[in-house]
Amino acid sequence: MSQIFHRSANTIARVSIFGAVFFIAGLLGLFAEVNRSPWMTGAQVARDQPIQFSHERHVGGNGIDCRYCHTSVEESSFAGIPPTRTCMNCHSQIFANSPFLEPVRESFRSGRSIQWNRVHDLPDFVYFDHSIHVNKGVGCTTCHGQVDRMPLMWQEKSLQMEWCLDCHRAPERYVRPRDAVFRVDYVAPPNQAEVGARLIEEYQIQKLTSCSVCHR
Amino acid sequence: MSGEPRRDLGLGSGGSVGLGGGDSARAVGSGSETQPNVPTESPAPSLQSPFWRTLEERAGDPAFQEHLYNEFPSQIEAITDPVARRTFLKLMGASIALAGATACTRQPVEKIVPYVRQPEELVPGRPLYYATAMPLAGVATGLLVESHEGRPTKIEGNPLHPGSLGASDVFAQAAILGLYDPDRAQTLTNIGDIRPWSAFLGAISAALTAQRPLRGAGIRLLTESVSSPTLAAQIRELLERFPSAKWHQWDPASRDHARAGAKLAFGEFVDAQYRFDQADVVLSLDADFLGCGPGSLRYARDFAGRRRPEQADRMNRLYAIESMPSSTGARADHRLPMKPSQIEAFARAIAAALGRSGEGGGVGNTVPEHARRFADAVAKDLQAHRGRSLVVAGDGQPAAVHALAHAMNQALGNAGTTVVYTQTAEAEPVNQLDSLRDLVADMNAGRVDLLIILGGNPVYTAPADLNFAEALARPQLRVHLSLYADETSALCQWQIPEAHFLEAWSDARAHDGTVSIVQPLIAPLYGGRSAHEVVAAMSDRPEQSGYEIVRAHWNQGATAASFETSWRRWLHDGVVPNTAFAPKSVRAQSDIPNQPAIPNPQSATSSTGGGIEISFRNDPSILDGRFANNGWLQELPKPITRLTWDNAVLASPATAAKLSASEAPSFQGGEHGQVTTDLVELKYRGRTIRGALLQVVGHPDDCITVHSGYGRARGGRVAAGAGFNANAIRTADAWSFGGGCEVAKTGGKFSLAVTQYHHLMEGRDMVRAATRDEYVRDPKAVNEHDETPPRTITLYPDFKYDGYKWGMAIDVNACIGCNACVVGCQAENNIPVVGKDQVLRGREMHWLRVDTYYRGAAANPETYFQPVPCMQCENAPCEVVCPVGATVHSDEGLNDMVYNRCVGTRYCSDNCPYKVRRFNFLLYQDWNTPSLKLGRNPDVTVRSRGVMEKCTYCVQRINKAKIESEKDDRQVRDGEIKTACEQACPADAIVFGNLNDPGSRVAKLKAEERNYSLLGELNTRPRTTYLAAVRNVNPELGE
């Protein structure tokens, strides 16, 4: 009786079974990479806004402290988006007639809020508290990146749980002294491990990884 | 139609009657404590518990055993049939594979919208707290309301308020849902057409102008009980301008008999305020002073404070004679069920015994035989504690009993120590039934041209024989100010949406007279008006707002600057200082030896001819029906009966047996929660209604109790179809109880959603109780049979909890079963309402439930309440079985529930021995109604379908306190974290704290001898433990 399958079928069978393992591994790897990609997480993608507010100009150029606008960062879970009045504090005098700022003036006149597009948005089942992080020595730029060099705001980090846990498991790699928390020009010193260990001690920083710390 | 149980009285629904036909009537009278016939190994005799939950359990009815043993009765076939099981596992395997796929979603872009001008004190993310008060039936409860970004989300008691001392009741806790109720009246209407406020002003001023030459002879004002000094002043001023106008008051939730009794005894209307902290012996004559009524929160706190077994010599003793089991009777050391008409004879007998002081004579033979020994012992005990005893009469008892109670207190020398008399909290106390009668007579005679009804629902709540609805057709112009467009609004031309107390400025008095300013937390959602504004509309300055009116009333005489300071202080504290009433000295007009001089108008109407006595009460969850549309209160299992979503005709098992009525637990899919009972017809004084008959353990024989508040015709979507209207047979002359009611079975069946039938005790001692003497002799005896294994008996290494170690202690001795904790938890944690259909399947979502346990004789057992939250077990059986790791243990001892990981296997709930895990079988949360979104707590996730949830020890409060303390560089102080249940509890029964802090209250409580774990023998090591109950038994009466 003649062979139904050509001899090459043996090779094909072996190669494909062997290769299937790599194929599936590759598929899983692709899946994992897509999961961490900016397409999925929104990191590194500048967001369009109704008004082209430039942090580079205001923070980098004018040197305004983060807390001037984001006022509740040291007290509350929510850092705060400035009300229109904060913009008008300066812009009632500076560039008071600029067409770029017409939406701001319109908002102030009419009493209708400006609808910004949210850049840093954690899922609803995550409860993040700004005030405790800021109090324990986590700097603004550590998570939000070099805001003073962003002409339009983007989300610097992935904000995925894996990224949060990276610091929660080893905070000594990222903390800085309290007086440097709001400085945009802070660079981690070469002996960060040592400095970090000392700060952990001093600020009583715990490695909180229980689920209920963030998920409730 | 028989054999098809009905779910609601309006629509019939098909359904199969389930297993078990155990006729509980057979169980009555069998005094034997038979061991339940359980198919598994029978527990050792030492574990045989004398406690029981249902009569079938007590009798050891094997069919009932069988029924409850199958936890999922409708799934039995699937579990035992091998082919079905294989299919089940295949489907499970496939669904696990797909479970991960749902997580792959990109987050949609959201907007973030700041203010234009942010209010100065508002920090987004931090709630603000405002002090206000809730006026209910004329008495205010001081509250602190939590407000998130301008929306009130949670109500707590105000610790500075004398009426509550920080506690709250179910009505205060559920008021948030009432504020955001989408069924509230939203527009001002005139005969159904929407009109502006100016149109109403025009109509009312025209009517008033027409009345001016008549001096207001055709004007009638109908309000509920008014304790607001401002409103009373406004109304009096109105009556000055229209001298012939009349002010009527009708509030079915207030206390007509108490008022009449005080008038009878003292010749004037006075309020009695009780000092339970001073009382050693208390006699309650059908008075539920712990559960409801003015000052009940304060009384519960004071009473519980005198019941600590650790201070055994200070322990008080409570005797309760009741016509319907209540929280007070449950806490009583000695309880006697008695028909309402017989209580008066009992009271007279005791009064006579007290009057013959020193003679120690018996109580004579006016009292029924079984009560004679009881009455003797009570009289003796009261006499032995002169000046430190207290006699309290209940609102359901006629004026004569109240007068007797006052006379007894006087004879015992209690006035001034345990009872203090003051002027009434109400500004204008009247006999409200007479007031209503006068109004109806006037209306029928055509003397009323303009009727303004401020709040209340008289068409629904008025006694049936007054025919209020017919009389209401007579006045020309009828105005109704109310929260809902209800039965009364349908018969009035103008319906004005009322501003909720959380939306309006007002003031109100507490039970002791302390004034609180009611300040709004939110602008009226629907443009509602308060009573102040409506009365002002009839004055010469109709444009005044509630704020201006209340301020003007209090700004009299003081300088501008000092008033501003005082005003701000009053708003901040929630109380106006020095406004509590000073005690009045009054003398009872008739002394006890002259007691035949106290007339009793009601005795003639009770128990004549055939039939049995019927007793009418306000419902413990929805009061007189005003809260019928509140889903939290409808779903709340009532104390004692554990009935939800319905009212029932309540009778003792013996009485039900006489009617050959039977009830049995049954199922309709899901788990247990359904009781199928007989539909009965009540014929009383020429009127009939139908209702389901429910047997209540401890109810007196030959009488029935019905609760009003149900059967609403226009109550809203939640109220629709729930229960029957007891007011349809209620008459004015026998407002609380009367005789001659005929009860007959109709042959139909009805399904009631009752949560008492869950779970089987199987001889385990969930509740432990001892008498005071036993406890003093040997405190350890109450936990003698405890079989908790040692900590070494586990394969897992011992975890060192070095930081915070959270724990909770619940005192069964203090718990009064009021359910405030249940509603408080529901409000704090966004717990959904599931509806009657789902409660029938045992799927109610309350994270905290209060279980009722009985011990002793079937006709009159001891009753204990046990709140059961998640035990937060250190060795949690739920944690080890979750396939996706959605429930894990935190390093502070909390059992964390992670909603985003949960795939809905429900293995954790299966493994939990306490059954405290609740599963979202369907999408129970209301995702769509906009007003309900405002009331949710933003600190807690709103759960969708398919996830498990459970008590978290209010982890959001724990985290908030920890964050604040860390920022301040200190440890969390004891008492800084109060869980929602702890904060609501009036009796201080729940205590939460850090076990690693030896000075914390919870650590000290757990160190007490009477501390025990629930089902400790399973080695779960629960962090929530209980303190056994101790009863101060009178040796003469024995147990």
Side-chain angles (χ1 to χ4, degrees):
Chain A
M1 190 158 111
S2 60
Q3 298 285 11
I4 301 171
F5 291 103
H6 191 258
R7 214 174 348 154
S8 59
N10 291 338
T11 319
I12 294 171
R14 284 189 201 112
V15 166
S16 55
I17 291 169
F18 185 67
V21 173
F22 291 101
F23 180 70
I24 291 172
L27 214 59
L28 287 172
L30 180 73
F31 193 73
E33 278 313 304
V34 166
N35 209 23
R36 286 166 180 73
S37 68
W39 176 78
M40 194 67 178
T41 64
Q44 306 286 324
V45 177
R47 304 293 166 93
D48 277 329
Q49 300 290 353
I51 302 164
Q52 288 169 317
F53 176 78
S54 164
H55 277 90
E56 183 175 21
R57 166 69 81 90
H58 289 79
V59 179
N62 300 335
I64 301 176
D65 188 280
C66 310
R67 289 165 288 179
Y68 183 76
C69 295
H70 301 287
T71 52
S72 44
V73 69
E74 287 169 300
E75 288 169 50
S76 158
S77 58
F78 178 60
I81 296 287
T84 313
R85 197 196 194 107
T86 307
C87 309
M88 292 305 286
N89 281 347
C90 293
H91 288 293
S92 51
Q93 299 169 38
I94 305 169
F95 298 122
N97 294 312
S98 161
F100 285 113
L101 293 167
E102 181 54 31
V104 181
R105 294 191 294 271
E106 170 63 30
S107 162
F108 198 64
R109 261 200 301 274
S110 67
R112 280 190 292 275
S113 306
I114 303 170
Q115 308 227 335
W116 302 96
N117 290 315
R118 189 156 189 170
V119 179
H120 296 88
D121 193 7
L122 291 173
D124 287 350
F125 47 79
V126 179
Y127 288 87
F128 173 79
D129 188 295
H130 268 97
S131 63
I132 188 66
H133 286 81
V134 151
N135 266 279
K136 293 285 185 176
V138 180
C140 306
T141 53
T142 307
C143 303
H144 294 288
Q146 290 301 129
V147 169
D148 57 327
R149 287 188 229 134
M150 294 185 188
L152 260 188
M153 193 69 198
W154 62 77
Q155 180 188 309
E156 177 75 16
K157 308 284 183 182
S158 73
L159 260 47
Q160 289 186 320
M161 182 168 157
E162 167 185 73
W163 169 79
C164 297
L165 281 177
D166 185 40
C167 181
H168 270 250
R169 287 181 177 136
E172 61 274 4
R173 286 193 268 135
Y174 299 100
V175 292
R176 58 172 90 162
R178 279 192 183 123
D179 53 12
V181 163
F182 301 103
R183 291 182 49 189
V184 293
D185 55 354
Y186 182 84
V187 171
N191 60 339
Q192 173 64 33
E194 208 183 292
V195 171
R198 188 178 45 79
L199 289 174
I200 300 254
E201 195 56 50
E202 196 184 321
Y203 297 159
Q204 295 281 296
I205 298 173
Q206 302 161 58
K207 297 185 170 57
L208 297 173
T209 50
S210 294
C211 301
S212 58
V213 172
C214 311
H215 294 293
R216 49 180 154 94
Chain B
M1 276 301 266
S2 68
E4 270 190 27
R6 299 170 72 179
R7 304 293 188 76
D8 57 74
L9 290 162
L11 320 154
S13 64
S16 56
V17 179
L19 300 174
D23 187 355
S24 53
R26 269 191 275 114
V28 176
S30 70
S32 59
E33 313 273 4
T34 43
Q35 181 62 24
N37 202 11
V38 184
T40 55
E41 59 175 50
S42 44
S46 62
L47 273 183
Q48 180 183 339
S49 172
F51 291 93
W52 42 279
R53 295 198 62 182
T54 62
L55 286 165
E56 291 85 347
E57 195 179 4
R58 185 180 183 280
D61 182 21
F64 180 71
Q65 288 290 129
E66 184 68 33
H67 170 71
L68 279 197
Y69 189 66
N70 294 314
E71 195 180 334
F72 302 100
S74 59
Q75 299 295 335
I76 294 170
E77 277 184 22
I79 291 170
T80 51
D81 173 15
V83 176
R85 203 172 72 228
R86 233 171 253 162
T87 317
F88 179 69
L89 285 172
K90 277 187 218 156
L91 289 171
M92 279 293 295
S95 52
I96 285 275
L98 289 170
T102 56
C104 298
T105 47
R106 292 178 66 200
Q107 214 172 349
V109 174
E110 285 180 20
K111 296 278 183 198
I112 185 167
V113 183
Y115 286 91
V116 176
R117 292 171 181 78
Q118 186 161 318
E120 198 181 308
E121 73 277 3
L122 197 151
V123 178
R126 286 178 78 102
L128 289 172
Y129 295 85
Y130 292 96
T132 181
M134 174 178 185
L136 186 64
V139 173
T141 311
L143 306 173
L144 273 184
V145 185
E146 182 177 358
S147 166
H148 284 273
E149 276 98 52
R151 311 180 310 273
T153 53
K154 180 76 171 64
I155 291 180
E156 305 292 358
N158 182 354
L160 293 175
H161 194 261
S164 63
L165 296 180
S168 43
D169 57 11
V170 294
F171 306 118
Q173 288 292 337
I176 286 284
L177 194 62
L179 168 68
Y180 295 116
D181 192 341
D183 290 333
R184 271 177 67 191
Q186 300 185 8
T187 45
L188 202 162
T189 55
N190 177 17
I191 321 179
D193 292 329
I194 300 174
R195 287 272 182 278
W197 179 244
S198 53
F200 170 72
L201 285 177
I204 203 81
S205 89
L208 289 174
T209 315
Q211 288 292 323
R212 230 170 285 264
L214 305 169
R215 289 160 49 91
I219 301 177
R220 300 287 182 276
L221 191 64
L222 177 62
T223 65
E224 301 186 286
S225 295
V226 173
S227 73
S228 158
T230 307
L231 188 62
Q234 277 184 285
I235 294 177
R236 288 191 187 115
E237 191 244 351
L238 180 72
L239 293 175
E240 265 169 44
R241 274 184 294 115
F242 295 97
S244 301
K246 293 210 194 116
W247 174 19
H248 298 273
Q249 293 176 64
W250 171 243
D251 190 338
S254 80
R255 302 154 299 285
D256 241 7
H257 292 309
R259 265 193 291 271
K263 186 95 188 266
L264 203 55
F266 303 117
E268 52 178 323
F269 287 118
V270 288
D271 268 353
Q273 288 172 40
Y274 304 111
R275 305 250 185 277
F276 285 94
D277 50 338
Q278 306 289 328
D280 291 347
V281 176
V282 181
L283 169 65
S284 156
L285 299 166
D286 212 11
D288 188 12
F289 58 83
L290 292 176
C292 58
S296 64
L297 293 173
R298 180 63 188 268
Y299 297 156
R301 181 66 59 93
D302 290 343
F303 184 81
R306 285 296 304 266
R307 275 194 92 77
R308 308 227 177 280
E310 295 69 54
Q311 298 152 352
D313 31 335
R314 282 195 78 223
M315 211 170 152
N316 60 12
R317 183 174 289 150
L318 172 61
Y319 299 94
I321 291 74
E322 296 195 306
S323 63
M324 162 73 198
S326 71
S327 301
T328 306
R331 290 282 79 241
D333 298 299
H334 295 281
R335 181 182 175 268
L336 197 62
M338 197 176 269
K339 294 197 317 195
S341 59
Q342 292 175 329
I343 292 178
E344 195 197 323
F346 188 89
R348 281 181 194 274
I350 298 200
L354 290 176
R356 293 194 290 274
S357 57
E359 281 179 32
V363 292
N365 46 13
T366 47
V367 186
E369 170 70 54
H370 65 285
R372 220 162 286 159
R373 208 173 127 242
F374 195 94
D376 272 334
V378 170
K380 212 161 126 198
D381 214 355
L382 285 172
Q383 196 71 275
H385 290 90
R386 295 181 58 84
R388 286 170 299 130
S389 52
L390 190 49
V391 180
V392 185
D395 300 333
Q397 287 298 310
V401 177
H402 286 267
L404 280 166
H406 292 310
M408 283 194 263
N409 279 325
Q410 187 158 297
L412 288 165
N414 294 331
T417 47
T418 58
V419 58
V420 163
Y421 297 101
T422 62
Q423 71 182 86
T424 56
E426 286 139 33
E428 190 86 11
V430 291
N431 184 316
Q432 292 187 352
L433 264 171
D434 288 342
S435 179
L436 190 66
R437 262 192 268 253
D438 289 342
L439 176 62
V440 172
D442 279 349
M443 286 200 289
N444 279 326
R447 288 194 277 267
V448 181
D449 302 317
L450 169 63
L451 175 64
I452 296 135
I453 308 176
L454 297 177
N457 189 1
V459 168
Y460 173 76
T461 56
D465 58 343
L466 289 183
N467 287 323
F468 191 89
E470 279 171 32
L472 191 57
R474 304 294 301 271
Q476 258 184 334
L477 187 59
R478 308 180 289 276
V479 178
H480 188 210
L481 172 74
S482 59
L483 280 173
Y484 298 88
D486 53 27
E487 293 87 342
T488 307
S489 312
L491 297 177
C492 293
Q493 285 116 344
W494 288 93
Q495 199 278 327
I496 307 174
E498 189 178 3
H500 196 265
F501 80 87
L502 289 170
E503 296 170 331
W505 284 97
S506 185
D507 50 15
R509 286 196 189 270
H511 76 289
D512 71 339
T514 309
V515 174
S516 298
I517 307 288
V518 175
Q519 65 170 324
L521 274 282
I522 190 169
L525 292 171
Y526 308 116
R529 306 271 167 181
S530 66
H532 299 287
E533 286 159 0
V534 174
V535 177
M538 303 195 291
S539 73
D540 47 1
R541 291 185 53 205
E543 75 291 349
Q544 283 178 301
S545 70
Y547 180 60
E548 287 158 3
I549 297 168
V550 175
R551 263 179 75 102
H553 177 83
W554 289 98
N555 187 6
Q556 283 165 20
T559 64
S562 75
F563 172 67
E564 242 357 278
T565 319
S566 310
W567 177 255
R568 294 194 86 80
R569 172 57 49 183
W570 298 342
L571 290 180
H572 174 271
D573 291 346
V575 289
V576 178
N578 303 321
T579 47
F581 293 136
K584 284 170 85 142
S585 83
V586 286
R587 277 209 62 79
Q589 284 186 333
S590 60
D591 288 323
I592 293 201
N594 288 337
Q595 44 142 334
I598 302 176
N600 179 12
Q602 189 145 351
S603 61
T605 55
S606 51
S607 56
T608 48
I612 56 178
E613 245 171 73
I614 179 168
S615 170
F616 297 94
R617 290 268 183 275
N618 279 335
D619 190 84
S621 304
I622 60 173
L623 214 58
D624 58 344
R626 65 185 72 189
F627 298 115
N629 206 42
N630 190 316
W632 292 348
L633 292 174
Q634 281 277 13
E635 194 152 283
L636 193 63
K638 303 184 204 304
I640 309 286
T641 56
R642 299 277 157 239
L643 175 63
T644 67
W645 287 102
D646 268 305
N647 58 346
V649 177
L650 304 171
S652 69
T655 315
K658 281 201 197 138
L659 297 166
S660 315
S662 69
E663 72 183 41
S666 56
F667 66 87
Q668 188 87 19
E671 299 181 40
H672 309 95
Q674 180 173 327
V675 170
T676 308
T677 71
D678 286 308
L679 255 183
V680 294
E681 191 173 77
L682 303 178
K683 248 203 270 282
Y684 179 64
R685 299 187 176 201
R687 299 180 180 85
T688 50
I689 49 169
R690 290 182 162 207
L693 182 72
L694 184 64
Q695 295 172 20
V696 181
V697 168
H699 199 276
D701 293 334
D702 296 322
C703 62
I704 54 175
T705 304
V706 290
H707 286 126
S708 67
Y710 284 87
R712 295 282 306 270
R714 292 185 87 212
R717 71 191 86 168
V718 173
F724 61 91
N725 182 6
N727 288 331
I729 60 171
R730 204 171 182 180
T731 56
D733 57 340
W735 177 245
S736 300
F737 61 91
C741 177
E742 285 164 31
V743 185
K745 274 169 55 165
T746 60
K749 290 274 185 197
F750 195 81
S751 290
L752 287 173
V754 176
T755 64
Q756 177 73 351
Y757 278 77
H758 294 183
H759 321 312
L760 194 62
M761 292 187 58
E762 291 188 23
R764 302 189 199 106
D765 50 353
M766 310 293 204
V767 171
R768 300 183 191 175
T771 66
R772 178 185 161 278
D773 294 333
E774 281 169 11
Y775 185 74
V776 165
R777 216 175 21 237
D778 181 10
K780 289 204 238 307
V782 76
N783 287 328
E784 204 167 37
H785 301 300
D786 196 73
E787 294 210 350
T788 307
R791 286 190 77 89
T792 47
I793 195 169
T794 174
L795 294 173
Y796 294 104
D798 213 8
F799 188 84
K800 288 266 164 288
Y801 294 95
D802 286 329
Y804 296 110
K805 190 174 171 186
W806 305 117
M808 184 185 272
I810 300 180
D811 193 351
V812 176
N813 192 40
C815 178
I816 59 177
C818 68
N819 284 331
C821 54
V822 179
V823 190
C825 174
Q826 190 155 26
E828 171 76 13
N829 293 298
N830 303 330
I831 296 175
V833 167
V834 304
K836 179 173 176 184
D837 196 50
Q838 295 293 305
V839 180
L840 287 173
R841 292 163 212 272
R843 292 177 181 173
E844 70 277 6
M845 293 302 283
H846 297 124
W847 288 6
L848 171 64
R849 65 170 190 269
V850 179
D851 288 336
T852 312
Y853 291 93
Y854 300 108
R855 177 166 75 169
N860 183 20
E862 297 162 30
T863 313
Y864 300 96
F865 298 113
Q866 186 176 52
V868 183
C870 171
M871 299 287 128
Q872 313 282 350
C873 310
E874 283 180 23
N875 258 359
C878 57
E879 287 169 6
V880 291
V881 295
C882 177
V884 294
T887 181
V888 289
H889 218 70
S890 86
D891 54 4
E892 291 173 351
L894 291 182
N895 176 276
D896 293 339
M897 185 64 220
V898 186
Y899 308 117
N900 36 303
R901 287 192 87 118
C902 178
V903 288
T905 315
R906 309 201 306 275
Y907 198 160
C908 55
S909 163
D910 203 34
N911 231 26
C912 174
Y914 310 102
K915 293 290 174 262
V916 290
R917 286 177 155 273
R918 317 308 308 169
F919 187 68
N920 286 283
F921 282 94
L922 304 172
L923 184 61
Y924 293 135
Q925 289 282 3
D926 185 317
W927 229 242
N928 300 314
T929 311
S931 69
L932 292 179
K933 293 182 193 172
L934 299 175
R936 300 228 169 86
N937 184 355
D939 293 330
V940 178
T941 310
V942 177
R943 285 81 58 192
S944 177
R945 78 179 77 76
V947 292
M948 189 65 76
E949 58 185 58
K950 67 167 186 73
C951 159
T952 57
Y953 271 1
C954 281
V955 66
Q956 66 277 8
R957 294 184 178 203
I958 296 176
N959 283 355
K960 187 155 84 166
K962 275 172 63 187
I963 285 172
E964 292 306 313
S965 68
E966 291 277 339
K967 289 196 287 197
D968 289 343
D969 241 334
R970 57 170 177 84
Q971 291 282 86
V972 173
R973 288 183 285 259
D974 185 39
E976 197 176 336
I977 303 173
K978 278 185 172 303
T979 57
C981 48
E982 182 184 5
Q983 200 166 6
C985 180
D988 231 358
I990 302 179
V991 180
F992 172 84
N994 180 11
L995 299 178
N996 273 343
D997 173 7
S1000 67
R1001 280 179 66 203
V1002 69
K1004 292 194 187 127
L1005 284 173
K1006 280 179 188 279
E1008 280 176 24
E1009 300 291 355
R1010 57 188 182 112
N1011 182 53
Y1012 69 97
S1013 314
L1014 204 58
L1015 298 179
E1017 63 269 18
L1018 298 176
N1019 198 27
T1020 49
R1021 302 199 196 143
R1023 284 286 176 86
T1024 307
T1025 56
Y1026 292 87
L1027 300 170
V1030 176
R1031 280 173 61 237
N1032 190 0
V1033 169
N1034 184 342
E1036 272 184 34
L1037 287 174
E1039 289 191 52

